[in-house]
Amino acid sequence: MNIIDLGLIEYLEAYEFQKKRVEEVANGISENYLLLAEHPPTITVGRLGSRKNILCTEEELRQRGISVYDIDRGGDVTYHSPGQVLLYPIIYLEHRARQIHKFLRLLEEVCIKFLKYFKIDGYRIENLTGVWVGNKKIASIGIGIKRWITYHGMATNIDNDLEGFSLINPCGINGLKMTSLKEELRTKIDLKLAKDILVRVFEEMYGFTFTKEFISTLA
């Protein structure tokens, strides 16, 4: 698997990079990818989302330097900013439709196992996508599928400013509170270490989860 850290990158630039990698995988030019990224302050609205879940005016967003994009991932509204780590897996789903929901559960499990490294208990909520700590959400997930290849992915709050989430109903859920690894640990987080652990957990989970034996155990 090719692993590329794009660093701090404009959202649309990362999106175009993903699309090119999807074509490479689809055409057999390259193996699967795992991309990492951070974004400047950006609000994205997924396919089933609504701009009604943005709680401020366009002028206020301009004044704050926050970009807004309607995009082709699942999910509703979310907020990105530096210190939040995006995992963008560009992966061919060999078993196609049977694996889409399994893949979402895989991403959740990656985050849950990542949090365990820091002795934090993360969990799922039935019929919702993402990972929670206590009564707050720490990771949001929304993927796209093209030619049975995944793109978009999971945003995990590591050491980012959470204030921007007050400008939206995160994930379209009124009153949802967000948290971060920094907030839970009450200490500064080494972002490189966090990225390294996320990659390590993803590689471990991906290599194991997509065996026939294990995929049947995922809800």
Side-chain angles (χ1 to χ4, degrees):
M1 180 177 291
N2 301 300
I3 300 171
I4 301 175
D5 187 349
L6 299 174
L8 182 61
I9 183 174
E10 290 290 339
Y11 187 86
L12 289 184
E13 186 178 350
Y15 176 61
E16 291 301 319
F17 191 89
Q18 287 182 74
K19 290 198 295 183
K20 289 178 182 177
R21 305 293 83 75
V22 167
E23 290 304 312
E24 288 179 8
V25 174
N27 294 322
I29 297 172
S30 178
E31 298 178 350
N32 295 328
Y33 286 89
L34 177 63
L35 310 179
L36 294 89
E38 298 171 70
H39 299 309
T42 305
I43 291 172
T44 58
V45 186
R47 290 189 307 270
L48 302 179
S50 169
R51 289 203 176 203
K52 292 180 181 179
N53 285 313
I54 300 176
L55 307 178
C56 60
T57 66
E58 291 184 10
E59 178 58 28
E60 287 176 298
L61 293 173
R62 278 195 295 270
Q63 290 176 357
R64 291 171 177 260
I66 299 174
S67 303
V68 182
Y69 301 111
D70 296 284
I71 55 172
D72 55 349
R73 61 159 171 78
D76 204 294
V77 177
T78 197
Y79 175 74
H80 306 295
S81 63
Q84 178 194 71
V85 175
L86 280 294
L87 289 185
Y88 291 136
I90 313 295
I91 290 177
Y92 175 61
L93 299 180
E94 295 183 6
H95 299 289
R96 300 191 174 187
R98 288 182 293 163
Q99 281 193 339
I100 293 175
H101 293 292
K102 315 289 187 184
F103 188 73
L104 294 173
R105 304 293 81 78
L106 165 67
L107 292 178
E108 291 168 345
E109 193 66 21
V110 167
C111 182
I112 290 168
K113 288 186 178 296
F114 164 76
L115 293 172
K116 285 187 181 298
Y117 274 81
F118 299 92
K119 303 188 185 309
I120 293 174
D121 293 326
Y123 66 96
R124 301 179 179 89
I125 293 180
E126 189 174 359
N127 297 323
L128 295 176
T129 302
V131 176
W132 276 255
V133 174
N135 62 352
K136 298 179 180 179
K137 194 172 189 180
I138 196 167
S140 301
I141 297 172
I143 66 169
I145 303 285
K146 182 178 181 182
R147 296 166 70 180
W148 298 109
I149 298 165
T150 67
Y151 60 114
H152 295 299
M154 178 171 68
T156 304
N157 298 328
I158 305 295
D159 194 2
N160 49 317
D161 180 8
L162 300 175
E163 195 274 334
F165 286 102
S166 67
L167 305 175
I168 62 174
N169 287 324
C171 308
I173 303 173
N174 186 27
L176 176 63
K177 300 298 183 184
M178 304 296 290
T179 190
S180 67
L181 188 59
K182 179 181 179 180
E183 181 168 293
E184 295 302 316
L185 295 177
R186 303 294 181 183
T187 187
K188 181 72 175 174
I189 303 300
D190 183 330
L191 203 61
K192 183 181 184 303
L193 173 63
K195 288 180 177 181
D196 289 345
I197 294 172
L198 277 168
V199 169
R200 188 188 318 155
V201 173
F202 184 91
E203 289 184 304
E204 290 172 357
M205 288 299 301
Y206 180 77
F208 180 51
T209 301
F210 279 79
T211 62
K212 290 181 181 178
E213 291 78 10
F214 190 68
I215 199 167
S216 63
T217 70
L218 288 174

